[in-house]
Amino acid sequence: MILRAALLPALLAFCAAPLAADTLAAPEYPETHAQDLSETIFGEEIADPYRWLENDVRSDPEVAKWVDRQNQVTDAFLGQLDSREWFRQRIASLQDFERFGIPRKAGENYFYTRNSGLQNQSVLYVQNGLEGQRRPLLDPNSWAGDGATALAEWEPSPDGRLLAYSVQDGGTDWRIIRVIDVATGQQLGDEIRWAKFTNIAWVGNEGFLYSRFPAPQDGQDYQAVNYNHALYFHAIGQSQAQDRLIFATPDRPQLDHVARTTHDGRWAVISSFAGTDDLFEITLIDLKQRGRNRWKTKTLVPGFENSWKLIEIARRRALFHHQRRRGEISHRRSRSHRAAPALAAGRAGSG
């Protein structure tokens, strides 16, 4: 509402005195090379002269040149608009205020993001206790000159001594997960690649669960369809090659799987889903028994009939936000082993 009120006078003035069509020079688009390429699909010959533009702009020089030429045409045309600079300054002034993300407490440390106003990306800060002095822990603004490398998921270890975080480059869904020592700010040697559609779920302070796909073939990082998403456990200090496969569905390769751990550290809750449908299967791992049962999983909610989102498992109950396919919303609770027999039996009882 504030933005609308601030811009309305300028929009009215802009519309009251429109630029005549002949005052703007028509853009001259650069020529685009057309390949002599066609394929026969279901008996029909299909021409595909611009397939080369599907190549990754970050690794194909010809595609990069084409994008640069297109941007030059766009910038030259927009540069003719008299009010453009006014809008840029006005919008920048409305965004220029300090803002914070929701803090997370781990051990004695508090972690949160802060943006001073016009920073391209928020900086991750840490402070010891409520009265401690804050200090920057990760500043993604310094990672790349073009500002396209971002801090994605991040999660401190329960004791607050380590922080696992993922790096997103150029807007891709692929992630690189790294670990930093909170006290010193030094990077550990841990590095995980081919993570995608993932959480970072700590299991005690020894390591964390994450989700990844098999490494794609060379040159297919951004072209190939991904299958066989799987959940792994990474122990701090080990190489990715040593990570343990925890959960996968090779008989249903189209499914994705993400995990989170409960605040008491007792349970890992795996949500499985297909595509963008907000319908889930729920699988549990009793982390207290993993030494004996070797990460044994138990299905709590089979099928993809409804939306199930864990709120928390505490006081011998598991509380889910449950939304039925037809849109009705309710809350479902389950008892846990010793902690809740229904969880151990894989049944969801209403409460």
PDB file of all heavy atoms in Angstrom, residues 195-229:
ATOM      1  N   ALA A 195      23.861 -31.845  -4.461  1.00  0.00           N
ATOM      2  CA  ALA A 195      22.685 -31.717  -3.595  1.00  0.00           C
ATOM      3  C   ALA A 195      21.646 -30.860  -4.310  1.00  0.00           C
ATOM      4  O   ALA A 195      21.985 -29.895  -5.010  1.00  0.00           O
ATOM      5  CB  ALA A 195      23.068 -31.087  -2.267  1.00  0.00           C
ATOM      6  N   LYS A 196      20.388 -31.208  -4.121  1.00  0.00           N
ATOM      7  CA  LYS A 196      19.306 -30.487  -4.815  1.00  0.00           C
ATOM      8  C   LYS A 196      17.990 -30.815  -4.111  1.00  0.00           C
ATOM      9  O   LYS A 196      17.766 -31.968  -3.730  1.00  0.00           O
ATOM     10  CB  LYS A 196      19.249 -30.933  -6.282  1.00  0.00           C
ATOM     11  CG  LYS A 196      18.442 -30.049  -7.209  1.00  0.00           C
ATOM     12  CD  LYS A 196      18.599 -30.584  -8.650  1.00  0.00           C
ATOM     13  CE  LYS A 196      18.041 -29.643  -9.673  1.00  0.00           C
ATOM     14  NZ  LYS A 196      18.196 -30.157 -11.052  1.00  0.00           N
ATOM     15  N   PHE A 197      17.133 -29.823  -3.955  1.00  0.00           N
ATOM     16  CA  PHE A 197      15.869 -30.004  -3.226  1.00  0.00           C
ATOM     17  C   PHE A 197      16.174 -30.650  -1.871  1.00  0.00           C
ATOM     18  O   PHE A 197      15.709 -31.736  -1.549  1.00  0.00           O
ATOM     19  CB  PHE A 197      14.885 -30.859  -4.020  1.00  0.00           C
ATOM     20  CG  PHE A 197      14.718 -30.418  -5.447  1.00  0.00           C
ATOM     21  CD1 PHE A 197      14.605 -31.352  -6.464  1.00  0.00           C
ATOM     22  CD2 PHE A 197      14.677 -29.077  -5.791  1.00  0.00           C
ATOM     23  CE1 PHE A 197      14.446 -30.958  -7.787  1.00  0.00           C
ATOM     24  CE2 PHE A 197      14.523 -28.669  -7.105  1.00  0.00           C
ATOM     25  CZ  PHE A 197      14.412 -29.604  -8.107  1.00  0.00           C
ATOM     26  N   THR A 198      16.963 -29.955  -1.077  1.00  0.00           N
ATOM     27  CA  THR A 198      17.499 -30.568   0.133  1.00  0.00           C
ATOM     28  C   THR A 198      17.295 -29.692   1.359  1.00  0.00           C
ATOM     29  O   THR A 198      17.232 -28.464   1.247  1.00  0.00           O
ATOM     30  CB  THR A 198      19.003 -30.874  -0.024  1.00  0.00           C
ATOM     31  OG1 THR A 198      19.480 -31.551   1.137  1.00  0.00           O
ATOM     32  CG2 THR A 198      19.803 -29.590  -0.215  1.00  0.00           C
ATOM     33  N   ASN A 199      17.174 -30.325   2.502  1.00  0.00           N
ATOM     34  CA  ASN A 199      17.348 -29.675   3.790  1.00  0.00           C
ATOM     35  C   ASN A 199      18.727 -30.034   4.316  1.00  0.00           C
ATOM     36  O   ASN A 199      19.431 -30.892   3.762  1.00  0.00           O
ATOM     37  CB  ASN A 199      16.286 -30.149   4.792  1.00  0.00           C
ATOM     38  CG  ASN A 199      14.902 -29.633   4.456  1.00  0.00           C
ATOM     39  OD1 ASN A 199      14.745 -28.640   3.738  1.00  0.00           O
ATOM     40  ND2 ASN A 199      13.879 -30.292   4.976  1.00  0.00           N
ATOM     41  N   ILE A 200      19.099 -29.393   5.408  1.00  0.00           N
ATOM     42  CA  ILE A 200      20.277 -29.784   6.178  1.00  0.00           C
ATOM     43  C   ILE A 200      19.772 -30.123   7.574  1.00  0.00           C
ATOM     44  O   ILE A 200      19.292 -29.242   8.295  1.00  0.00           O
ATOM     45  CB  ILE A 200      21.327 -28.662   6.225  1.00  0.00           C
ATOM     46  CG1 ILE A 200      21.844 -28.365   4.816  1.00  0.00           C
ATOM     47  CG2 ILE A 200      22.480 -29.044   7.162  1.00  0.00           C
ATOM     48  CD1 ILE A 200      22.740 -27.139   4.742  1.00  0.00           C
ATOM     49  N   ALA A 201      19.817 -31.394   7.932  1.00  0.00           N
ATOM     50  CA  ALA A 201      19.211 -31.857   9.193  1.00  0.00           C
ATOM     51  C   ALA A 201      20.297 -32.513  10.048  1.00  0.00           C
ATOM     52  O   ALA A 201      20.728 -33.638   9.766  1.00  0.00           O
ATOM     53  CB  ALA A 201      18.079 -32.841   8.911  1.00  0.00           C
ATOM     54  N   TRP A 202      20.729 -31.815  11.076  1.00  0.00           N
ATOM     55  CA  TRP A 202      21.803 -32.331  11.925  1.00  0.00           C
ATOM     56  C   TRP A 202      21.345 -33.537  12.731  1.00  0.00           C
ATOM     57  O   TRP A 202      20.221 -33.575  13.230  1.00  0.00           O
ATOM     58  CB  TRP A 202      22.296 -31.248  12.876  1.00  0.00           C
ATOM     59  CG  TRP A 202      23.189 -30.242  12.214  1.00  0.00           C
ATOM     60  CD1 TRP A 202      22.806 -29.097  11.580  1.00  0.00           C
ATOM     61  CD2 TRP A 202      24.614 -30.301  12.113  1.00  0.00           C
ATOM     62  NE1 TRP A 202      23.902 -28.432  11.088  1.00  0.00           N
ATOM     63  CE2 TRP A 202      25.032 -29.156  11.407  1.00  0.00           C
ATOM     64  CE3 TRP A 202      25.580 -31.200  12.558  1.00  0.00           C
ATOM     65  CZ2 TRP A 202      26.374 -28.888  11.135  1.00  0.00           C
ATOM     66  CZ3 TRP A 202      26.918 -30.946  12.284  1.00  0.00           C
ATOM     67  CH2 TRP A 202      27.305 -29.797  11.589  1.00  0.00           C
ATOM     68  N   VAL A 203      22.232 -34.501  12.864  1.00  0.00           N
ATOM     69  CA  VAL A 203      22.032 -35.662  13.728  1.00  0.00           C
ATOM     70  C   VAL A 203      23.061 -35.533  14.850  1.00  0.00           C
ATOM     71  O   VAL A 203      24.241 -35.847  14.677  1.00  0.00           O
ATOM     72  CB  VAL A 203      22.219 -36.980  12.956  1.00  0.00           C
ATOM     73  CG1 VAL A 203      22.057 -38.171  13.891  1.00  0.00           C
ATOM     74  CG2 VAL A 203      21.231 -37.064  11.797  1.00  0.00           C
ATOM     75  N   GLY A 204      22.602 -35.011  15.986  1.00  0.00           N
ATOM     76  CA  GLY A 204      23.558 -34.640  17.022  1.00  0.00           C
ATOM     77  C   GLY A 204      24.504 -33.590  16.456  1.00  0.00           C
ATOM     78  O   GLY A 204      24.124 -32.763  15.628  1.00  0.00           O
ATOM     79  N   ASN A 205      25.751 -33.633  16.917  1.00  0.00           N
ATOM     80  CA  ASN A 205      26.773 -32.716  16.398  1.00  0.00           C
ATOM     81  C   ASN A 205      27.758 -33.427  15.483  1.00  0.00           C
ATOM     82  O   ASN A 205      28.750 -32.825  15.063  1.00  0.00           O
ATOM     83  CB  ASN A 205      27.536 -32.071  17.562  1.00  0.00           C
ATOM     84  CG  ASN A 205      26.633 -31.248  18.448  1.00  0.00           C
ATOM     85  OD1 ASN A 205      26.061 -30.256  18.012  1.00  0.00           O
ATOM     86  ND2 ASN A 205      26.492 -31.665  19.708  1.00  0.00           N
ATOM     87  N   GLU A 206      27.454 -34.696  15.188  1.00  0.00           N
ATOM     88  CA  GLU A 206      28.428 -35.506  14.454  1.00  0.00           C
ATOM     89  C   GLU A 206      28.310 -35.392  12.942  1.00  0.00           C
ATOM     90  O   GLU A 206      29.231 -35.719  12.199  1.00  0.00           O
ATOM     91  CB  GLU A 206      28.297 -36.971  14.854  1.00  0.00           C
ATOM     92  CG  GLU A 206      26.930 -37.570  14.531  1.00  0.00           C
ATOM     93  CD  GLU A 206      26.763 -38.961  15.110  1.00  0.00           C
ATOM     94  OE1 GLU A 206      27.141 -39.912  14.411  1.00  0.00           O
ATOM     95  OE2 GLU A 206      26.287 -39.080  16.246  1.00  0.00           O
ATOM     96  N   GLY A 207      27.142 -34.960  12.442  1.00  0.00           N
ATOM     97  CA  GLY A 207      26.943 -34.875  11.000  1.00  0.00           C
ATOM     98  C   GLY A 207      25.508 -34.509  10.690  1.00  0.00           C
ATOM     99  O   GLY A 207      24.728 -34.151  11.571  1.00  0.00           O
ATOM    100  N   PHE A 208      25.135 -34.596   9.431  1.00  0.00           N
ATOM    101  CA  PHE A 208      23.796 -34.167   9.038  1.00  0.00           C
ATOM    102  C   PHE A 208      23.281 -34.975   7.858  1.00  0.00           C
ATOM    103  O   PHE A 208      24.046 -35.590   7.098  1.00  0.00           O
ATOM    104  CB  PHE A 208      23.786 -32.671   8.688  1.00  0.00           C
ATOM    105  CG  PHE A 208      24.824 -32.263   7.662  1.00  0.00           C
ATOM    106  CD1 PHE A 208      24.581 -32.385   6.298  1.00  0.00           C
ATOM    107  CD2 PHE A 208      26.045 -31.739   8.082  1.00  0.00           C
ATOM    108  CE1 PHE A 208      25.535 -32.015   5.370  1.00  0.00           C
ATOM    109  CE2 PHE A 208      27.013 -31.363   7.154  1.00  0.00           C
ATOM    110  CZ  PHE A 208      26.749 -31.495   5.793  1.00  0.00           C
ATOM    111  N   LEU A 209      21.973 -34.959   7.720  1.00  0.00           N
ATOM    112  CA  LEU A 209      21.280 -35.574   6.593  1.00  0.00           C
ATOM    113  C   LEU A 209      21.091 -34.536   5.499  1.00  0.00           C
ATOM    114  O   LEU A 209      20.819 -33.368   5.777  1.00  0.00           O
ATOM    115  CB  LEU A 209      19.921 -36.114   7.030  1.00  0.00           C
ATOM    116  CG  LEU A 209      19.929 -37.208   8.098  1.00  0.00           C
ATOM    117  CD1 LEU A 209      18.529 -37.420   8.658  1.00  0.00           C
ATOM    118  CD2 LEU A 209      20.478 -38.516   7.533  1.00  0.00           C
ATOM    119  N   TYR A 210      21.208 -34.985   4.259  1.00  0.00           N
ATOM    120  CA  TYR A 210      20.982 -34.110   3.114  1.00  0.00           C
ATOM    121  C   TYR A 210      20.475 -34.956   1.947  1.00  0.00           C
ATOM    122  O   TYR A 210      20.568 -36.192   1.965  1.00  0.00           O
ATOM    123  CB  TYR A 210      22.257 -33.363   2.720  1.00  0.00           C
ATOM    124  CG  TYR A 210      23.327 -34.247   2.107  1.00  0.00           C
ATOM    125  CD1 TYR A 210      23.450 -34.396   0.727  1.00  0.00           C
ATOM    126  CD2 TYR A 210      24.210 -34.961   2.922  1.00  0.00           C
ATOM    127  CE1 TYR A 210      24.420 -35.220   0.167  1.00  0.00           C
ATOM    128  CE2 TYR A 210      25.189 -35.788   2.378  1.00  0.00           C
ATOM    129  CZ  TYR A 210      25.284 -35.911   1.000  1.00  0.00           C
ATOM    130  OH  TYR A 210      26.244 -36.730   0.458  1.00  0.00           O
ATOM    131  N   SER A 211      19.948 -34.308   0.932  1.00  0.00           N
ATOM    132  CA  SER A 211      19.381 -35.012  -0.224  1.00  0.00           C
ATOM    133  C   SER A 211      20.154 -34.653  -1.485  1.00  0.00           C
ATOM    134  O   SER A 211      20.556 -33.501  -1.671  1.00  0.00           O
ATOM    135  CB  SER A 211      17.903 -34.633  -0.408  1.00  0.00           C
ATOM    136  OG  SER A 211      17.184 -34.818   0.798  1.00  0.00           O
ATOM    137  N   ARG A 212      20.320 -35.635  -2.357  1.00  0.00           N
ATOM    138  CA  ARG A 212      21.088 -35.396  -3.582  1.00  0.00           C
ATOM    139  C   ARG A 212      20.626 -36.332  -4.689  1.00  0.00           C
ATOM    140  O   ARG A 212      19.939 -37.341  -4.450  1.00  0.00           O
ATOM    141  CB  ARG A 212      22.572 -35.591  -3.353  1.00  0.00           C
ATOM    142  CG  ARG A 212      22.952 -36.968  -2.853  1.00  0.00           C
ATOM    143  CD  ARG A 212      24.415 -37.290  -3.091  1.00  0.00           C
ATOM    144  NE  ARG A 212      24.705 -37.439  -4.514  1.00  0.00           N
ATOM    145  CZ  ARG A 212      25.884 -37.814  -5.004  1.00  0.00           C
ATOM    146  NH1 ARG A 212      26.886 -38.067  -4.183  1.00  0.00           N
ATOM    147  NH2 ARG A 212      26.065 -37.944  -6.290  1.00  0.00           N
ATOM    148  N   PHE A 213      21.022 -35.997  -5.908  1.00  0.00           N
ATOM    149  CA  PHE A 213      20.843 -36.852  -7.070  1.00  0.00           C
ATOM    150  C   PHE A 213      22.190 -37.475  -7.441  1.00  0.00           C
ATOM    151  O   PHE A 213      23.250 -36.964  -7.036  1.00  0.00           O
ATOM    152  CB  PHE A 213      20.340 -36.044  -8.268  1.00  0.00           C
ATOM    153  CG  PHE A 213      18.891 -35.640  -8.182  1.00  0.00           C
ATOM    154  CD1 PHE A 213      18.533 -34.352  -7.849  1.00  0.00           C
ATOM    155  CD2 PHE A 213      17.888 -36.562  -8.452  1.00  0.00           C
ATOM    156  CE1 PHE A 213      17.211 -33.971  -7.781  1.00  0.00           C
ATOM    157  CE2 PHE A 213      16.552 -36.191  -8.380  1.00  0.00           C
ATOM    158  CZ  PHE A 213      16.213 -34.895  -8.039  1.00  0.00           C
ATOM    159  N   PRO A 214      22.177 -38.553  -8.220  1.00  0.00           N
ATOM    160  CA  PRO A 214      23.442 -39.052  -8.778  1.00  0.00           C
ATOM    161  C   PRO A 214      24.083 -37.975  -9.636  1.00  0.00           C
ATOM    162  O   PRO A 214      23.395 -37.135 -10.228  1.00  0.00           O
ATOM    163  CB  PRO A 214      23.009 -40.258  -9.621  1.00  0.00           C
ATOM    164  CG  PRO A 214      21.680 -40.658  -9.071  1.00  0.00           C
ATOM    165  CD  PRO A 214      21.029 -39.403  -8.597  1.00  0.00           C
ATOM    166  N   ALA A 215      25.394 -37.959  -9.702  1.00  0.00           N
ATOM    167  CA  ALA A 215      26.089 -36.968 -10.523  1.00  0.00           C
ATOM    168  C   ALA A 215      25.666 -37.118 -11.986  1.00  0.00           C
ATOM    169  O   ALA A 215      25.664 -38.231 -12.517  1.00  0.00           O
ATOM    170  CB  ALA A 215      27.594 -37.145 -10.389  1.00  0.00           C
ATOM    171  N   PRO A 216      25.308 -36.039 -12.653  1.00  0.00           N
ATOM    172  CA  PRO A 216      24.909 -36.130 -14.065  1.00  0.00           C
ATOM    173  C   PRO A 216      26.114 -36.397 -14.965  1.00  0.00           C
ATOM    174  O   PRO A 216      27.270 -36.212 -14.558  1.00  0.00           O
ATOM    175  CB  PRO A 216      24.305 -34.752 -14.350  1.00  0.00           C
ATOM    176  CG  PRO A 216      24.963 -33.850 -13.363  1.00  0.00           C
ATOM    177  CD  PRO A 216      25.217 -34.670 -12.131  1.00  0.00           C
ATOM    178  N   GLN A 217      25.847 -36.808 -16.173  1.00  0.00           N
ATOM    179  CA  GLN A 217      26.912 -36.994 -17.144  1.00  0.00           C
ATOM    180  C   GLN A 217      27.525 -35.647 -17.490  1.00  0.00           C
ATOM    181  O   GLN A 217      26.901 -34.596 -17.339  1.00  0.00           O
ATOM    182  CB  GLN A 217      26.368 -37.674 -18.402  1.00  0.00           C
ATOM    183  CG  GLN A 217      25.857 -39.094 -18.172  1.00  0.00           C
ATOM    184  CD  GLN A 217      25.342 -39.728 -19.450  1.00  0.00           C
ATOM    185  OE1 GLN A 217      25.319 -39.112 -20.505  1.00  0.00           O
ATOM    186  NE2 GLN A 217      24.923 -40.969 -19.353  1.00  0.00           N
ATOM    187  N   ASP A 218      28.759 -35.668 -17.975  1.00  0.00           N
ATOM    188  CA  ASP A 218      29.456 -34.434 -18.328  1.00  0.00           C
ATOM    189  C   ASP A 218      28.627 -33.620 -19.318  1.00  0.00           C
ATOM    190  O   ASP A 218      28.125 -34.142 -20.319  1.00  0.00           O
ATOM    191  CB  ASP A 218      30.817 -34.753 -18.956  1.00  0.00           C
ATOM    192  CG  ASP A 218      31.796 -35.327 -17.937  1.00  0.00           C
ATOM    193  OD1 ASP A 218      31.525 -35.185 -16.729  1.00  0.00           O
ATOM    194  OD2 ASP A 218      32.810 -35.913 -18.350  1.00  0.00           O
ATOM    195  N   GLY A 219      28.480 -32.339 -19.005  1.00  0.00           N
ATOM    196  CA  GLY A 219      27.747 -31.434 -19.886  1.00  0.00           C
ATOM    197  C   GLY A 219      26.249 -31.478 -19.731  1.00  0.00           C
ATOM    198  O   GLY A 219      25.534 -30.732 -20.411  1.00  0.00           O
ATOM    199  N   GLN A 220      25.736 -32.328 -18.830  1.00  0.00           N
ATOM    200  CA  GLN A 220      24.288 -32.464 -18.669  1.00  0.00           C
ATOM    201  C   GLN A 220      23.797 -31.904 -17.329  1.00  0.00           C
ATOM    202  O   GLN A 220      22.677 -32.184 -16.912  1.00  0.00           O
ATOM    203  CB  GLN A 220      23.900 -33.943 -18.778  1.00  0.00           C
ATOM    204  CG  GLN A 220      24.135 -34.549 -20.154  1.00  0.00           C
ATOM    205  CD  GLN A 220      23.277 -33.859 -21.211  1.00  0.00           C
ATOM    206  OE1 GLN A 220      22.068 -33.775 -21.093  1.00  0.00           O
ATOM    207  NE2 GLN A 220      23.939 -33.363 -22.253  1.00  0.00           N
ATOM    208  N   ASP A 221      24.623 -31.080 -16.696  1.00  0.00           N
ATOM    209  CA  ASP A 221      24.273 -30.548 -15.373  1.00  0.00           C
ATOM    210  C   ASP A 221      22.923 -29.844 -15.379  1.00  0.00           C
ATOM    211  O   ASP A 221      22.153 -29.953 -14.417  1.00  0.00           O
ATOM    212  CB  ASP A 221      25.329 -29.543 -14.905  1.00  0.00           C
ATOM    213  CG  ASP A 221      26.727 -30.125 -14.905  1.00  0.00           C
ATOM    214  OD1 ASP A 221      26.943 -31.162 -15.536  1.00  0.00           O
ATOM    215  OD2 ASP A 221      27.601 -29.523 -14.265  1.00  0.00           O
ATOM    216  N   TYR A 222      22.644 -29.106 -16.456  1.00  0.00           N
ATOM    217  CA  TYR A 222      21.435 -28.275 -16.495  1.00  0.00           C
ATOM    218  C   TYR A 222      20.465 -28.702 -17.583  1.00  0.00           C
ATOM    219  O   TYR A 222      19.465 -28.021 -17.822  1.00  0.00           O
ATOM    220  CB  TYR A 222      21.834 -26.809 -16.696  1.00  0.00           C
ATOM    221  CG  TYR A 222      22.820 -26.339 -15.657  1.00  0.00           C
ATOM    222  CD1 TYR A 222      24.182 -26.252 -15.951  1.00  0.00           C
ATOM    223  CD2 TYR A 222      22.404 -26.014 -14.377  1.00  0.00           C
ATOM    224  CE1 TYR A 222      25.095 -25.845 -14.996  1.00  0.00           C
ATOM    225  CE2 TYR A 222      23.311 -25.614 -13.406  1.00  0.00           C
ATOM    226  CZ  TYR A 222      24.654 -25.520 -13.729  1.00  0.00           C
ATOM    227  OH  TYR A 222      25.548 -25.121 -12.774  1.00  0.00           O
ATOM    228  N   GLN A 223      20.751 -29.807 -18.262  1.00  0.00           N
ATOM    229  CA  GLN A 223      19.875 -30.257 -19.339  1.00  0.00           C
ATOM    230  C   GLN A 223      19.118 -31.543 -19.010  1.00  0.00           C
ATOM    231  O   GLN A 223      17.965 -31.702 -19.378  1.00  0.00           O
ATOM    232  CB  GLN A 223      20.687 -30.470 -20.630  1.00  0.00           C
ATOM    233  CG  GLN A 223      20.998 -29.193 -21.395  1.00  0.00           C
ATOM    234  CD  GLN A 223      22.114 -28.387 -20.770  1.00  0.00           C
ATOM    235  OE1 GLN A 223      23.038 -28.953 -20.216  1.00  0.00           O
ATOM    236  NE2 GLN A 223      22.027 -27.077 -20.846  1.00  0.00           N
ATOM    237  N   ALA A 224      19.777 -32.458 -18.316  1.00  0.00           N
ATOM    238  CA  ALA A 224      19.194 -33.780 -18.098  1.00  0.00           C
ATOM    239  C   ALA A 224      18.112 -33.738 -17.027  1.00  0.00           C
ATOM    240  O   ALA A 224      18.171 -32.947 -16.078  1.00  0.00           O
ATOM    241  CB  ALA A 224      20.284 -34.776 -17.691  1.00  0.00           C
ATOM    242  N   VAL A 225      17.116 -34.608 -17.175  1.00  0.00           N
ATOM    243  CA  VAL A 225      16.099 -34.789 -16.146  1.00  0.00           C
ATOM    244  C   VAL A 225      16.702 -35.615 -15.014  1.00  0.00           C
ATOM    245  O   VAL A 225      17.426 -36.580 -15.247  1.00  0.00           O
ATOM    246  CB  VAL A 225      14.850 -35.494 -16.717  1.00  0.00           C
ATOM    247  CG1 VAL A 225      13.805 -35.713 -15.628  1.00  0.00           C
ATOM    248  CG2 VAL A 225      14.262 -34.679 -17.863  1.00  0.00           C
ATOM    249  N   ASN A 226      16.432 -35.214 -13.780  1.00  0.00           N
ATOM    250  CA  ASN A 226      17.027 -35.884 -12.622  1.00  0.00           C
ATOM    251  C   ASN A 226      16.073 -36.913 -12.027  1.00  0.00           C
ATOM    252  O   ASN A 226      14.895 -36.628 -11.804  1.00  0.00           O
ATOM    253  CB  ASN A 226      17.384 -34.866 -11.541  1.00  0.00           C
ATOM    254  CG  ASN A 226      18.337 -33.791 -12.026  1.00  0.00           C
ATOM    255  OD1 ASN A 226      18.070 -32.618 -11.896  1.00  0.00           O
ATOM    256  ND2 ASN A 226      19.448 -34.206 -12.610  1.00  0.00           N
ATOM    257  N   TYR A 227      16.617 -38.106 -11.762  1.00  0.00           N
ATOM    258  CA  TYR A 227      15.858 -39.170 -11.110  1.00  0.00           C
ATOM    259  C   TYR A 227      16.695 -39.748  -9.978  1.00  0.00           C
ATOM    260  O   TYR A 227      17.886 -39.481  -9.850  1.00  0.00           O
ATOM    261  CB  TYR A 227      15.513 -40.284 -12.109  1.00  0.00           C
ATOM    262  CG  TYR A 227      14.523 -39.879 -13.173  1.00  0.00           C
ATOM    263  CD1 TYR A 227      14.923 -39.707 -14.491  1.00  0.00           C
ATOM    264  CD2 TYR A 227      13.181 -39.665 -12.862  1.00  0.00           C
ATOM    265  CE1 TYR A 227      14.017 -39.332 -15.479  1.00  0.00           C
ATOM    266  CE2 TYR A 227      12.261 -39.296 -13.834  1.00  0.00           C
ATOM    267  CZ  TYR A 227      12.689 -39.132 -15.143  1.00  0.00           C
ATOM    268  OH  TYR A 227      11.790 -38.750 -16.106  1.00  0.00           O
ATOM    269  N   ASN A 228      16.051 -40.553  -9.154  1.00  0.00           N
ATOM    270  CA  ASN A 228      16.705 -41.287  -8.065  1.00  0.00           C
ATOM    271  C   ASN A 228      17.283 -40.361  -6.996  1.00  0.00           C
ATOM    272  O   ASN A 228      18.447 -40.473  -6.591  1.00  0.00           O
ATOM    273  CB  ASN A 228      17.792 -42.221  -8.626  1.00  0.00           C
ATOM    274  CG  ASN A 228      17.192 -43.334  -9.445  1.00  0.00           C
ATOM    275  OD1 ASN A 228      16.335 -44.075  -8.968  1.00  0.00           O
ATOM    276  ND2 ASN A 228      17.624 -43.444 -10.702  1.00  0.00           N
ATOM    277  N   HIS A 229      16.457 -39.435  -6.553  1.00  0.00           N
ATOM    278  CA  HIS A 229      16.782 -38.605  -5.403  1.00  0.00           C
ATOM    279  C   HIS A 229      16.961 -39.506  -4.183  1.00  0.00           C
ATOM    280  O   HIS A 229      16.223 -40.477  -4.018  1.00  0.00           O
ATOM    281  CB  HIS A 229      15.618 -37.636  -5.168  1.00  0.00           C
ATOM    282  CG  HIS A 229      15.978 -36.393  -4.440  1.00  0.00           C
ATOM    283  ND1 HIS A 229      15.315 -35.967  -3.307  1.00  0.00           N
ATOM    284  CD2 HIS A 229      16.917 -35.452  -4.692  1.00  0.00           C
ATOM    285  CE1 HIS A 229      15.811 -34.819  -2.905  1.00  0.00           C
ATOM    286  NE2 HIS A 229      16.793 -34.478  -3.718  1.00  0.00           N
TER     287      HIS A 229
END
